[in-house]
Amino acid sequence: MTKREIVNNVHWVGAIDWNRRLFDTLIPLPDGTSYNAYLVEGSEKTALIDAVDPEMVDVLLENLSGVDKIDYVVSQHTEQDHSGSIPTILEMYPESILLCSGKAKSMLIEHVGVPDERIRIVEDGETLSLGDKTFQFINPTWVLLPDLTILYIREDQILFT
């Protein structure tokens, strides 16, 4: 599946896994699932929000073909379907910095193998400018998972949950 434009300079670049049959080895997925990742291209910086399950990394890389630089990778939480292919992305884009919540940092180091020096913690309410797009980070307490970061793009009024 190819990338899809959501709004100007915000694209879905994830993958559809028609063959996945269980979520968390418990919940049936008779029709497969999708792994949502988004490329946000600001006038000055570019960010990737989440990645995909490692088994689908080739699809993500194909959707990112032609993208010369990713300044930031945002991990919304550390489950494999969101963060499992982040190490591959960081290898492909060695200048990029991984942004995550404080609770996610140790899990990304331990479970995914991201080097400590590639990670920057984002605080609740913090903003980050990509030029003409501004991220606002929201770190809710124990909504779904303890390491969750929600991301809002002010100019486009898009909430990534």
Side-chain angles (χ1 to χ4, degrees):
M1 171 150 256
T2 59
K3 68 181 182 179
R4 293 182 184 175
E5 184 175 60
I6 306 300
V7 297
N8 188 39
N9 292 322
V10 177
H11 291 87
W12 179 85
V13 293
I16 295 177
D17 186 349
W18 299 108
N19 298 317
R20 179 109 183 239
R21 291 295 169 243
L22 286 175
F23 176 73
D24 285 348
T25 67
L26 178 66
I27 301 167
L29 298 170
D31 299 317
T33 192
S34 63
Y35 307 115
N36 296 314
Y38 300 91
L39 184 69
V40 181
E41 298 172 290
S43 59
E44 297 173 15
K45 303 277 184 179
T46 299
L48 178 67
I49 302 171
D50 279 338
V52 299
D53 190 89
E55 293 181 11
M56 301 299 288
V57 71
D58 290 341
V59 176
L60 176 60
L61 294 176
E62 182 178 321
N63 288 338
L64 293 174
S65 66
V67 177
D68 296 328
K69 186 175 182 184
I70 294 177
D71 299 285
Y72 304 104
V73 178
V74 178
S75 174
Q76 290 197 283
H77 71 274
T78 59
E79 286 184 316
Q80 287 291 306
D81 59 331
H82 291 262
S83 64
S85 60
I86 285 176
T88 303
I89 297 301
L90 294 177
E91 186 177 311
M92 295 287 300
Y93 298 94
E95 71 283 353
S96 62
I97 298 295
L98 178 60
L99 307 175
C100 66
S101 71
K103 291 180 180 173
K105 182 178 179 179
S106 62
M107 289 189 247
L108 288 164
I109 292 169
E110 183 178 341
H111 299 294
V112 186
V114 176
D116 180 57
E117 64 272 6
R118 297 290 301 273
I119 299 175
R120 188 178 119 210
I121 294 173
V122 289
E123 301 295 336
D124 184 44
E126 184 176 335
T127 60
L128 176 72
S129 174
L130 301 181
D132 60 348
K133 294 189 184 295
T134 307
F135 285 174
Q136 180 173 357
F137 297 92
I138 303 161
N139 297 337
T141 304
W142 277 103
V143 175
L144 181 66
L145 298 165
D147 60 328
L148 180 66
T149 295
I150 296 172
L151 185 64
Y152 181 66
I153 301 177
R154 290 180 177 173
E155 294 79 5
D156 297 317
Q157 297 182 348
I158 299 174
L159 184 68
F160 295 91
T161 58

